[in-house]
Amino acid sequence: MKSIKVGLLGIGTVGSGTFNVLKRNQEEIARRAGRGIEITMVADLNTERATELTNGEVKVVNDANLVVNDPDIDIVIELIGGYGLAKDLVLKAIANGKHVVTANKALIATHGNEIFKAAQEKGVMVAFEAAVAGGIPIIKALREGLTANRIQWIAGIINGTTNFILSEMRDKGLDFDVVLKEAQRLGYAEADPTFDIEGVDAAHKLTIMASIAFGIPVQFDKAHVEGITKLQATDIRYAEQLGYRIKLLGITRQTANGIELRVHPTLIPSGRLIANVEGAMNAVMVRGDAVGETLYYGKGAGSEPTASAVIADLVDITRLATADPEHRVPYLAFQPHAMASTPVLPIQDVTTSYYLRMHVADKPGVLADVTRILADSSISIDAMLQKEPSEGETQTDIIMLTHQTQERNIEAAIAKIEALSTVVGTVMKIRLEELG
Ligand code: HSE
């Protein structure tokens, strides 16, 4: 059978990885796919570099429209990123009857509903394994491997940059700004790291996983997003003394009232496997009612790890290209007519436990005032740490871990605690998950 023809939009880190792995493993891949998979056309603004990276073996153009309009191309790989041009090209490719593979999490998390609808109407596939956690086949696991389950929750370390920064902060006791600079110097963090450090990248990935897990439309705008910029080395140290590590987690959970969808720094027990995922690695925990807890670990970024996911999608599409569209795996795991309208909960309605750090005057009655406020709000204390004031100091830190309570409840209690004349400045609040 003649090979399937692929057009590549953007040949940067992931694009060149895809080209190289596809070439290196072509025989193995063809044995799996049932026919050859061949990149025959590449669009990139830097045509010279693109020609060099593809050893002059493929047609290189500087206008991506030439690829999405080429009648010989069966599958378009979109690796441009962003929502503007990339969205336009993906929709054009679909309109031209081409299947699409994309690593673009921002595009799927914000415009996925529109893209899937267009693809369904046209009877083509849109695959996006590389959009979530790089080389970890988490989309495949959620959409197919765990299909028997009612998914209860997902908790993931799905941003390598922030995990690298948090690991360094813990290891070396350094503050966020110092480690960020080092991460940029080493090339782990981008020159503009905003999407990573503010939690946006993780929220894009979480939004996609939540849709597949619970059969809801993608709703990035409903996600609660907090990054790691306010974290201090002090909190990482105190958390450790209490038996916890702080990770930037993406958490989505089905509750009786709706779906939680949140990214924020989180204390997790240091004995959990996921708490020990260090450096730029990614890991995703999924709890299903039948299977229990499962854990997926690997590289969440990088040239060949991400290419591994892109090519898995190419193979899937190649195998299913001739199948009746009705018999393919639905984009978001659930049949389009069976999607749920379960609401995504605002953060005030989320129930979890909390780490609170407050700086207080070291004198009688302060602790009693704080615990009274918590007791009056029916917030139960799980553990507490009070530091000896340093030599000559009259103020000290109190750290408390609470049992579960609603976010609106803890917020009200914190406002009262901050109003006490003996409490200096603001209370640091970090959410805590046992993941048990
Ligand atoms: N910037 C992402 C990260 C990788 O740091 O994990 C691409 O999603």
Side-chain angles (χ1 to χ4, degrees):
M1 198 187 282
K2 88 177 178 21
S3 61
I4 202 155
K5 303 279 187 283
V6 180
L8 178 60
L9 310 183
I11 186 153
T13 311
V14 178
S16 55
T18 301
F19 184 83
N20 292 336
V21 175
L22 206 46
K23 198 168 164 209
R24 189 170 76 231
N25 298 342
Q26 58 183 337
E27 270 178 39
E28 202 87 339
I29 291 168
R31 282 171 60 212
R32 291 186 174 122
R35 60 196 279 205
I37 300 175
E38 201 187 339
I39 294 179
T40 55
M41 203 169 175
V42 173
D44 201 286
L45 290 177
N46 190 341
T47 49
E48 206 174 306
R49 192 168 151 273
T51 305
E52 202 176 298
L53 287 171
T54 52
N55 319 308
E57 292 166 12
V58 307
K59 183 171 172 187
V60 172
V61 294
N62 70 357
D63 179 2
N65 284 293
L66 296 175
V67 176
V68 299
N69 291 328
D70 189 313
D72 288 338
I73 297 293
D74 303 300
I75 307 175
V76 169
I77 307 177
E78 183 277 305
L79 299 174
I80 294 172
Y83 334 80
L85 179 63
K87 181 185 170 200
D88 193 40
L89 290 165
V90 163
L91 289 174
K92 270 189 195 156
I94 291 170
N96 288 338
K98 300 182 192 315
H99 305 291
V100 173
V101 173
T102 179
N104 191 335
K105 59 227 104 179
L107 180 66
I108 297 296
T110 50
H111 299 292
N113 303 325
E114 183 186 343
I115 290 168
F116 298 141
K117 185 163 178 286
Q120 196 199 347
E121 281 166 9
K122 201 72 194 175
V124 295
M125 289 172 269
V126 174
F128 47 92
E129 181 68 69
V132 181
I136 306 175
I138 188 64
I139 300 294
K140 190 86 169 172
L142 281 171
R143 200 159 60 172
E144 297 173 51
L146 299 176
T147 200
N149 289 262
R150 194 177 272 276
I151 305 289
Q152 294 167 325
W153 53 260
I154 300 174
I157 296 173
I158 42 181
N159 182 270
T161 306
T162 45
N163 203 52
F164 172 82
I165 293 173
L166 292 178
S167 297
E168 289 288 292
M169 285 173 76
R170 187 180 73 81
D171 243 19
K172 301 184 177 154
L174 298 171
D175 269 319
F176 171 78
D177 297 332
V178 179
V179 181
L180 175 61
K181 283 207 183 78
E182 179 67 0
Q184 282 172 316
R185 197 182 62 77
L186 292 170
Y188 283 111
E190 315 237 356
D192 179 2
T194 316
F195 264 32
D196 290 320
I197 61 177
E198 296 294 358
V200 178
D201 174 77
H204 284 147
K205 295 166 182 166
L206 183 72
T207 299
I208 297 170
M209 289 197 288
S211 289
I212 293 174
F214 305 123
I216 55 168
V218 287
Q219 297 165 72
F220 171 70
D221 55 333
K222 305 259 176 69
H224 175 82
V225 189
E226 264 175 58
I228 61 167
T229 52
K230 295 192 188 83
L231 269 187
Q232 293 178 17
T234 315
D235 295 308
I236 293 176
R237 206 169 51 243
Y238 287 151
E240 189 133 49
Q241 288 170 20
L242 289 157
Y244 292 84
R245 291 212 178 148
I246 300 179
K247 296 289 182 188
L248 183 71
L249 277 197
I251 302 167
T252 184
R253 189 193 311 268
Q254 177 116 52
T255 75
N257 302 322
I259 289 163
E260 297 179 2
L261 187 62
R262 49 193 171 103
V263 170
H264 49 70
T266 312
L267 270 78
I268 45 183
S270 45
R272 298 246 179 270
L273 274 178
I274 195 168
N276 294 281
V277 171
E278 299 291 4
M281 300 304 281
N282 279 201
V284 182
M285 263 181 108
V286 183
R287 185 169 214 295
D289 67 336
V291 74
E293 281 145 31
T294 57
L295 179 68
Y296 311 84
Y297 171 84
K299 288 188 178 140
S303 179
E304 293 205 355
T306 312
S308 165
V310 169
I311 295 169
D313 281 345
L314 290 178
V315 171
D316 258 1
I317 290 176
T318 305
R319 284 173 177 152
L320 291 167
T322 53
D324 177 350
E326 302 289 307
H327 296 136
R328 293 174 187 151
V329 182
Y331 310 103
L332 293 175
F334 290 72
Q335 297 297 339
H337 66 268
M339 297 296 277
S341 55
T342 320
V344 173
L345 295 172
I347 192 70
Q348 289 76 17
D349 290 350
V350 163
T351 297
T352 186
S353 306
Y354 294 89
Y355 160 104
L356 304 176
R357 170 174 56 81
M358 54 206 90
H359 199 59
V360 301
D362 188 26
K363 59 184 195 190
V366 175
L367 193 54
D369 289 342
V370 172
T371 52
R372 170 56 44 211
I373 290 171
L374 293 173
D376 287 349
S377 311
S378 304
I379 298 169
S380 173
I381 298 165
D382 179 44
M384 217 202 81
L385 191 67
Q386 181 174 354
K387 302 309 290 178
E388 283 276 311
S390 317
E391 187 74 33
E393 286 278 332
T394 56
Q395 296 173 347
T396 190
D397 282 341
I398 293 177
I399 299 94
M400 286 176 178
L401 303 185
T402 75
H403 284 293
Q404 288 201 335
T405 186
Q406 227 180 25
E407 181 95 3
R408 67 176 80 252
N409 219 11
I410 200 88
E411 280 298 323
I414 287 173
K416 287 183 194 156
I417 292 170
E418 286 176 347
L420 292 171
S421 61
T422 45
V423 172
V424 184
T426 54
V427 173
M428 179 67 171
K429 173 195 81 187
I430 308 175
R431 298 176 190 89
L432 182 156
E433 294 284 338
E434 293 295 338
L435 301 181

